[in-house]
Each structure stands twice: as C-alpha cells, then as structure tokens.
Amino acid sequence: PLEQQRSQEQKRLADVQQQRAIEVQRETERRRVFEAQQQRILEQQRLAEVQQQRAIETHRENERRRAMELERARKREQVLVQQRLAEVQRRSRAIETLRQEEQQRDLEQLQTMQRLPETWQDRPAGRQREQSVKMLCEEEQRRAL
C-alpha cells in the first residue's frame, strides 16, 4: 500500500506537472498571439504614417506645381500686357507723326496762299462789287422784316 500510495502520488504530481506545462504552453501561445497582434497594429500605424506623409508630400508637390503654373501664367499675361502697351505706344507715335505732318502741310498751304497774288476780291473793283452785293442783301433783309 505504501508503494501504491507513492505511485499514486507520483502520478498525481506528474499530472499536475503536465497540467502546468499545458497551461504554460497555452499562456505562451496567448502571449505570442497578443504580441503578433500588437506587431500588426504597429505595422498598420507605421503604414498609415507613411501614407499620411506621402499624402502631405503629394499635396505640397501639387501646391508647388500650381504656384509655378500661376507664376508662368502671370508672366505670360505680363508679356501680353507689355506687347499691347508697345502696340498702343507705336500707334500713338504714328498718329502724332501723321498729325504733325498734317499740320506741316496746312502751314505750307497757308504760306503758299499768302504768297499768291491778290484775288479779285482784294482789287478795288472787286471790293466795290462785294460791298454792293452786301448792301443789296442787307436791304432785302430789311424789307423782309
């Protein structure tokens, strides 16, 4: 009986040790699963951070490109405005030149007319005839009134 009791004790001890080993193995497996989950969560967070950083960089690049395009458009518009201004100035100079040429022709015509001999109205007989016509017109106006 003592041997049998000792044998049963050893068997119970072996059962307890086996049960503990199973529990340790289960706890180890649970810890491994938990750590794997934690690792996946960390990887997902890192991936999200990388994606966010890429989105920020893409946004910055788009903003930079848009700013460059706006600057190019502003420069093109400035060139067009300068070209239009140059055209307006060229036309103004051309108009001014034509105006001066016209004035010069008018002045030359006036000087030429001043050098011409007297007309019939400037001669004494012509002046007399002109005064007669004026008098007749004035007389007719008085009668009409």
Side-chain angles (χ1 to χ4, degrees), residues 71 85 136:
E71 181 63 19
L85 179 61
L136 284 172

Side-chain angles (χ1 to χ4, degrees), residues 40 44 52 101 112-113 133:
R40 278 194 298 276
Q44 289 172 347
Q52 184 179 13
E101 289 172 357
T112 302
M113 288 173 63
V133 171

Side-chain angles (χ1 to χ4, degrees), residues 83-116:
Q83 288 172 344
R84 287 184 199 127
L85 179 61
E87 180 63 20
V88 166
Q89 289 172 339
R90 184 190 66 74
R91 288 181 183 176
S92 293
R93 286 191 302 271
I95 289 170
E96 180 61 25
T97 301
L98 289 173
R99 191 186 63 73
Q100 288 175 358
E101 289 172 357
E102 189 176 339
Q103 270 184 338
Q104 185 63 32
R105 276 193 307 273
D106 289 349
L107 181 61
E108 289 170 1
Q109 265 184 340
L110 183 62
Q111 290 171 346
T112 302
M113 288 173 63
Q114 287 174 350
R115 285 190 299 255
L116 286 177

Side-chain angles (χ1 to χ4, degrees), residues 27-40:
E27 182 60 30
T28 303
E29 182 63 21
R30 275 194 299 268
R31 218 176 284 138
R32 189 189 64 72
V33 167
F34 176 77
E35 288 173 359
Q37 287 173 338
Q38 290 298 100
Q39 190 63 33
R40 278 194 298 276

